[in-house]
Amino acid sequence: MCLCLFPFFLLKIAEDIGSSLYPYIYTNLNNWPCVRLLNATNTIGCHAPKTGSGVLYHVKSQNQMDDFVAGQFGSSDTYGIVLGYNLLTRDNINALQSTGRVNGLIVLLREAMNQNDFQNLHSPEENCPNCQFGLYADDDDPYNWNPQGQNLLESEFEIPIFGINPVNKISTQIYNFVMKTVEYNEEKGYDNYPLQAVDFELFMWAAMNSETCLRRGWCEAIGGLSVYSTPSVDIQADDKKTIVMLTAGMDSRSLFHDLTNGAGHDVSGLVGILAAAEALSRVDTTNLPKHILYTAFSAESWGYAGSQRFVQDISQPFTCTNESRAVTCPYGSNAPCTNPCVRTLDFKRINFDQIDSIIELGSISMTTNGEYWAHVDDIKTSESLVASLQQQQNTINSNASIFSIHPAYEDNVQRKLPPGSSTMSFLKQKQNIPAVVITDFQKELGSLYNSDLDDTLKGLDLSSICQLATTTAKTTYLQAQGNTSVAEQITANCTLVESLMDCLVSNFSCSFMQNYFNVSGITRISHYSSIFSFRNPQPQLLPRFVFTFLADVTSRSSPTLSSCATIQDCNQGEYCIKKQCVQTFTNYHDAYGTGLKYDESSGKVLIIDSTKSTWTESTWNTPVFRTFLVTSKTQQAIELVVGVLWTVISIVTVFYGKRYFKKTFKIE
Amino acid sequence: MSLVTFFGCLLVAYGPILSIFFLYIGQNAQYVLLMVSSAFFCLIALLISSVIWYFAKAAQSIHPASIAYSITVQEIFRWFFFLLLRHSEAGLNVVSANPQSPFNQSTFSFVTGYGYALTTTLVSYISLLVESIGPGVIMCPSCPQATTFFISAVTTTLFSLLHIIWMMIAFEGFSNIRKPAGAARVIWVIVSHFGASYATLLNGSETIKYGCVYAIIVCVVILSISISLVAYSLKSRFKLAHISHPHSS
């Protein structure tokens, strides 16, 4: 409906009383941006105040990209480039930024990419991610775990980058719309105006580094809630029983935080220990000589924030000062201590010095020939643990598929622990704990490490995860007890593994999840740990699920045996899991960088150690990218010239008209 | 560079208005007052049209209907202002620069017309002009190579001139309403107003190619005819004045 008429009454479309013309010119698109993060020294990610407009151009191949960079395409216009994730390489981005003719990037992710684009993928991570926070930060020659890494995640971009992945209704609409506008431009041949253009707004408030932005209030600490659980409900720090730990990372990282999935790294590891915990719940573990402790750490991608803070808190004495606070403690008056404000003091019952061995499951879903690799820090300390694992692996009747565990140093190269291992935080404190990290890679992290494309179950080896969970559970039991006959009965539930992977990767509202939560309408959840709220720390969906699941498998029934609907129906200290009141030793633990400290008396977050994790995320305005039609510069110039000419003519006419009328008609 | 479009359309739409104001009307306080009063009357007319539009929900998207009642109200208010002016003409003449001049009525009607032109052009085009500051454009449906902003600017500038001329013709017609010449003038104003407005419907038509050109041609033709009408009556008044006052200087 045209609005270019009727200078007689207000130009409104009937249905939109009081609205402007904006929606008829611009289409704002909901979107997933790359955002700005800060640490102790610098900023990474994207920041762009309002950009100029750029004609939409879809680059479909590396050749097209090279042509564009070389200037063999298009006039001196600015372009907004649409490209697949496979073309998002370091070289391409640098080249595009240096042309000065690109106002932003729109990246097509898995569901929007062509099949043949998946062949040449590279991990966007750096060569040794998080190594400056790990166990080998001071090594002279650290092993290069990610030689083909593009080093995008730790870079700062000058242009805004948005991602599109048609995984739900809205994003599919957006994807279709963008593709339509891109095709429109293609049909017009990019020089037949008017063309579709795009502009971006991705304003980040924080700048410089964490210390500055925290002081100014423009950023928040990145973090989440870790979960720890043990079947030994009556564990005490001084009960002289050692602890066997099973651990995995709970969060993932990628360029677009709203879409971060990490099916391979690290959801598979988490599923592995959940399945192992479930397998162990079917035998009696409370009367063993050692405790079994399950831990899932949050914010591990951000300098091992979760595990380091946990280690720090269980190895240092805790002093409750109960001094005055700037903000009331969010855990209410029942909190065991108000300064520092803690949810529970149960972590004091875990004695760090009693930790006897650690088994960690990392990325375990993309095996070749069912082979797993056991990484250790020191061969002498941990080789018995590796041997135990291999022994248990042999007991598995695997005629269905091949499955094997190999020491990663089998080829006589000691690469030590791979990045992303929470175990490093424990070994940093005490290096002679026997510890094994099991992964599906031996030498390299792989092309999907921390990639936005690590979000599918296709090509993942779920049955091997199941067998690994069984092996891990058996080994853990033997470490804790030593009774081989009972270990025979321990098997992981493979259907459980499939359900868990499906729920946590593709569809959080799956039927399996309904056992724990009444949830619907949520399919993909983001596995980015997001920011840590000191005023109201609420667990995200994933930690909440892990808590509930572990509480379920490590629980013992309440002596009163009551059924319940919510936690209020149960006694103090009990939880309502699967409609039963249960007692369990399962808790959350704060996870945010150990280089940060929350000063309770002032309510501010301070940097206390810049060598440790100090990651924060900037606050931002609503990111906008919108499409609209533009005309050529020539046409705009013509409009201006016509206007000037017309005004000059009218001035001249009025001037001479006045003179004429004065002379002839004697009118003033 | 959308600011280029903004200034271009601004100058196209408001060129005559700005030049007439700064070079003619603004230099005489009486004219400014007259202009403001007539602008106010036009504003009331537009307000009433909007109220009718708001309540006539069924017809809100039927543009020909909206044009019909809008023009009717504007013409009625033209007549009201003429009545008002006639009552105050004596006083206005006394204060004017040349109290005996027979062209005072033409001058007053010119200024009144300018008031109408100012209000209608401001109310109709400003919101579109403001949108042209941003980078995006809407293309005119009937002339897909030109933007809506530009075509509307052209329409606006033509209508500003038309309103001035219509007012001059209408006042002549109202003062001689009993004579056929006067009545014919009034009828011409009303009919050509409807004609020009309905012609702008072609701007938005998606079926008629180059509809915007036809609309502009229609408006220019009406403008030319109206200007010649005004010129003819001015000349005849001039002749009349000279016959009765052969020694006027």
Side-chain angles (χ1 to χ4, degrees):
Chain A
M1 183 166 294
C2 182
L3 308 156
C4 56
L5 13 151
F6 320 124
F8 318 105
F9 69 106
L10 310 164
L11 295 165
K12 302 267 191 257
I13 292 298
E15 299 79 25
D16 292 326
I17 295 179
S19 72
S20 72
L21 284 170
Y22 188 94
Y24 299 98
I25 309 178
Y26 305 97
T27 311
N28 276 20
L29 296 171
N30 216 350
N31 49 66
W32 288 309
C34 114
V35 295
R36 170 174 271 182
L37 271 54
L38 305 95
N39 59 17
T41 49
N42 58 348
T43 67
I44 65 172
C46 306
H47 160 70
K50 229 173 177 342
T51 63
S53 57
V55 174
L56 274 172
Y57 178 43
H58 187 184
V59 173
K60 297 185 190 153
S61 68
Q62 187 60 43
N63 285 338
Q64 247 185 316
M65 174 75 70
D66 296 332
D67 283 343
F68 177 81
V69 169
Q72 282 163 20
F73 167 84
S75 42
S76 56
D77 264 289
T78 318
Y79 290 89
I81 306 282
V82 177
L83 74 174
Y85 196 78
N86 57 318
L87 289 174
L88 199 68
T89 61
R90 175 91 266 164
D91 293 334
N92 281 347
I93 294 183
N94 284 345
L96 288 173
Q97 283 181 170
S98 62
T99 61
R101 288 166 41 217
V102 174
N103 73 333
L105 300 180
I106 299 174
V107 182
L108 303 176
L109 298 171
R110 173 168 296 274
E111 307 292 334
M113 287 168 68
N114 282 328
Q115 282 306 6
N116 34 340
D117 289 336
F118 289 112
Q119 283 161 7
N120 217 5
L121 295 172
H122 300 286
S123 159
E125 258 291 7
E126 44 180 10
N127 295 125
C128 198
N130 279 322
C131 283
Q132 70 268 42
F133 302 115
L135 194 50
Y136 312 115
D138 299 325
D139 275 14
D140 291 325
D141 196 12
Y143 178 70
N144 184 351
W145 281 99
N146 197 10
Q148 30 107 354
Q150 297 291 308
N151 199 6
L152 296 177
L153 294 183
E154 299 277 324
S155 308
E156 178 157 32
F157 300 110
E158 295 156 7
I159 51 181
I161 305 183
F162 286 84
I164 295 185
N165 198 2
V167 291
N168 56 27
K169 194 157 137 226
I170 292 186
S171 48
T172 313
Q173 281 175 339
I174 293 170
Y175 168 68
N176 291 336
F177 183 83
V178 170
M179 285 296 113
K180 221 172 44 164
T181 53
V182 159
E183 277 157 24
Y184 172 90
N185 278 356
E186 262 182 58
E187 277 168 34
K188 287 248 177 160
Y190 296 105
D191 52 12
N192 194 2
Y193 282 86
L195 292 174
Q196 294 278 1
V198 64
D199 77 357
F200 305 92
E201 185 180 345
L202 188 56
F203 187 78
M204 302 283 142
W205 287 96
M208 305 224 18
N209 54 39
S210 285
E211 196 262 316
T212 315
C213 73
L214 283 170
R215 179 169 37 92
R216 293 175 180 167
W218 290 134
C219 60
E220 314 247 10
I222 293 178
L225 291 172
S226 308
V227 178
Y228 60 96
S229 175
T230 174
S232 318
V233 183
D234 300 318
I235 183 174
Q236 295 297 337
D238 52 2
D239 62 4
K240 309 253 194 309
K241 283 164 82 163
T242 55
I243 301 173
V244 175
M245 270 186 64
L246 259 192
T247 180
M250 195 162 34
D251 74 308
S252 319
R253 181 177 180 178
S254 71
L255 189 57
F256 301 106
H257 292 157
D258 303 281
L259 293 169
T260 302
N261 200 309
H265 167 81
D266 239 348
V267 178
S268 54
L270 179 67
V271 166
I273 65 152
L274 293 182
E278 193 272 335
L280 283 168
S281 70
R282 288 184 254 128
V283 297
D284 177 29
T285 45
T286 46
N287 295 320
L288 300 177
K290 301 185 188 178
H291 296 298
I292 300 178
L293 179 67
Y294 308 112
T295 53
F297 294 115
S298 221
E300 285 303 277
S301 318
W302 307 101
Y304 309 108
S307 52
Q308 284 201 352
R309 185 162 289 277
F310 185 75
V311 167
Q312 181 184 291
D313 288 342
I314 66 174
S315 52
Q316 286 170 8
F318 176 79
T319 42
C320 184
T321 55
N322 273 334
E323 281 169 0
S324 64
R325 302 172 48 86
V327 183
T328 43
C329 183
Y331 306 121
S333 46
N334 287 333
C337 179
T338 52
N339 191 336
C341 183
V342 287
R343 202 184 286 263
T344 166
L345 287 176
D346 279 349
F347 63 92
K348 287 175 60 177
R349 288 160 62 180
I350 302 186
N351 190 338
F352 180 83
D353 295 315
Q354 295 288 55
I355 295 181
D356 169 274
S357 49
I358 306 176
I359 300 179
E360 176 171 355
L361 299 183
S363 163
I364 56 173
S365 60
M366 287 180 278
T367 59
T368 30
N369 301 326
E371 288 178 339
Y372 285 106
W373 303 94
H375 306 263
V376 299
D377 172 57
D378 180 58
I379 300 179
K380 273 211 161 41
T381 322
S382 314
E383 60 187 350
S384 55
L385 193 51
V386 177
S388 181
L389 278 165
Q390 286 184 296
Q391 196 186 29
Q392 291 315 304
Q393 168 236 300
N394 288 331
T395 67
I396 293 192
N397 248 344
S398 54
N399 44 5
S401 59
I402 39 176
F403 164 71
S404 55
I405 301 182
H406 305 259
Y409 47 88
E410 198 172 62
D411 55 353
N412 286 326
V413 179
Q414 169 55 313
R415 301 171 188 85
K416 303 200 219 175
L417 294 178
S421 308
S422 315
T423 309
M424 284 200 219
S425 309
F426 290 83
L427 296 187
K428 239 184 172 176
Q429 188 83 2
K430 181 169 149 192
Q431 198 139 8
N432 61 354
I433 304 176
V436 171
V437 176
I438 305 177
T439 66
D440 51 24
F441 56 83
Q442 183 191 17
K443 304 178 189 170
E444 273 183 33
L445 295 177
S447 62
L448 288 183
Y449 189 84
N450 282 355
S451 166
D452 290 271
L453 295 182
D454 185 12
D455 62 351
T456 181
L457 293 176
K458 266 193 270 204
L460 297 192
D461 184 5
L462 299 183
S463 60
S464 295
I465 299 180
C466 185
Q467 288 168 333
L468 181 63
T470 307
T471 313
T472 311
K474 288 187 182 190
T475 315
T476 310
Y477 187 85
L478 285 175
Q479 287 290 111
Q481 160 63 294
N483 184 341
T484 48
S485 59
V486 178
E488 300 283 307
Q489 307 160 18
I490 301 175
T491 46
N493 181 347
C494 294
T495 328
L496 175 69
V497 170
E498 282 167 25
S499 305
L500 282 173
M501 285 300 285
D502 177 51
C503 295
L504 299 183
V505 171
S506 351
N507 182 11
F508 197 77
S509 312
C510 55
S511 44
F512 173 77
M513 192 59 69
Q514 308 302 328
N515 295 332
Y516 301 95
F517 305 119
N518 206 351
V519 57
S520 65
I522 303 177
T523 45
R524 271 176 75 128
I525 57 172
S526 167
H527 292 231
Y528 167 56
S529 65
S530 194
I531 55 177
F532 186 84
S533 166
F534 289 96
R535 302 197 172 194
N536 188 13
Q538 288 295 327
Q540 302 252 321
L541 286 174
L542 190 55
R544 200 187 287 263
F545 167 70
V546 172
F547 179 100
T548 315
F549 185 90
L550 285 178
D552 182 33
V553 300
T554 60
S555 63
R556 64 176 185 213
S557 308
S558 154
T560 47
L561 243 177
S562 38
S563 63
C564 58
T566 68
I567 192 172
Q568 273 87 0
D569 301 337
C570 299
N571 298 333
Q572 173 83 345
E574 293 179 359
Y575 295 92
C576 181
I577 312 271
K578 282 188 176 167
K579 302 210 177 3
Q580 293 281 327
C581 283
V582 294
Q583 292 176 338
T584 174
F585 186 93
T586 309
N587 289 300
Y588 294 111
H589 196 84
D590 292 350
Y592 55 94
T594 39
L596 299 170
K597 176 179 151 63
Y598 181 56
D599 181 13
E600 320 252 342
S601 49
S602 67
K604 288 198 167 272
V605 180
L606 309 169
I607 308 251
I608 50 168
D609 188 346
S610 52
T611 58
K612 299 207 181 115
S613 166
T614 52
W615 285 106
T616 55
E617 181 185 311
S618 168
T619 46
W620 24 275
N621 291 344
T622 313
V624 174
F625 86 85
R626 56 183 191 174
T627 56
F628 44 88
L629 284 171
V630 289
T631 48
S632 63
K633 295 225 166 43
T634 334
Q635 183 165 350
Q636 294 171 11
I638 291 176
E639 288 174 0
L640 183 64
V641 165
V642 168
V644 169
L645 279 176
W646 178 243
T647 308
V648 165
I649 291 175
S650 24
I651 292 177
V652 164
T653 314
V654 172
F655 188 68
Y656 282 109
K658 263 175 62 180
R659 228 204 276 172
Y660 172 74
F661 278 107
K662 209 183 224 163
K663 231 174 21 168
T664 349
F665 296 115
K666 316 266 188 308
I667 305 177
E668 298 256 331
Chain B
M1 274 239 284
S2 43
L3 267 185
V4 172
T5 308
F6 170 74
F7 280 113
C9 293
L10 177 87
L11 290 175
V12 169
Y14 296 115
I17 296 227
L18 288 171
S19 42
I20 294 176
F21 183 81
F22 284 109
L23 292 178
Y24 182 60
I25 294 182
Q27 311 196 333
N28 186 326
Q30 182 187 39
Y31 294 165
V32 173
L33 289 171
L34 204 53
M35 174 201 92
V36 171
S37 336
S38 92
F40 182 68
F41 265 68
C42 185
L43 197 60
I44 303 281
L46 293 176
L47 179 65
I48 292 180
S49 312
S50 330
V51 169
I52 299 176
W53 179 83
Y54 183 81
F55 284 114
K57 290 216 179 341
Q60 272 180 0
S61 46
I62 305 175
H63 294 301
S66 322
I67 296 182
Y69 59 69
S70 202
I71 295 182
T72 316
V73 175
Q74 284 184 26
E75 295 304 328
I76 291 176
F77 270 75
R78 222 195 275 282
W79 183 54
F80 282 165
F81 197 79
F82 169 76
L83 293 177
L84 179 69
L85 208 58
R86 205 174 46 180
H87 278 287
S88 43
E89 194 157 13
L92 280 171
N93 273 333
V94 166
V95 191
S96 71
N98 194 352
Q100 315 297 15
S101 166
F103 298 110
N104 275 345
Q105 199 199 30
S106 306
T107 318
F108 296 150
S109 57
F110 179 89
V111 175
T112 309
Y114 179 86
Y116 250 62
L118 185 68
T119 315
T120 49
T121 51
L122 276 179
V123 165
S124 65
Y125 188 61
I126 272 289
S127 45
L128 206 52
L129 186 63
V130 165
E131 289 297 339
S132 75
I133 297 180
V137 299
I138 321 177
M139 305 315 284
C140 197
S142 66
C143 299
Q145 287 304 106
T147 61
T148 303
F149 305 132
F150 190 70
I151 299 293
S152 280
V154 172
T155 314
T156 305
T157 198
L158 289 173
F159 265 85
S160 66
L161 295 172
L162 277 170
H163 270 288
I164 298 176
I165 298 297
W166 279 331
M167 192 65 86
M168 295 176 78
I169 302 179
F171 272 33
E172 287 223 11
F174 286 136
S175 39
N176 300 328
I177 195 88
R178 308 226 181 265
K179 304 213 191 89
R185 285 195 156 75
V186 174
I187 291 174
W188 165 251
V189 167
I190 297 178
V191 166
S192 59
H193 195 165
F194 272 96
S197 304
Y198 280 121
T200 57
L201 278 171
L202 291 171
N203 276 345
S205 147
E206 298 194 2
T207 48
I208 302 177
K209 274 227 146 64
Y210 297 115
C212 60
V213 178
Y214 300 144
I216 293 177
I217 291 177
V218 167
C219 290
V220 169
V221 163
I222 294 179
L223 186 62
S224 334
I225 297 178
S226 308
I227 289 183
S228 38
L229 266 178
V230 168
Y232 171 74
S233 65
L234 278 180
K235 263 235 174 72
S236 41
R237 192 130 13 114
F238 176 65
K239 285 213 186 81
L240 211 60
H242 266 241
I243 289 173
S244 38
H245 305 277
H247 310 297
S248 61
S249 48

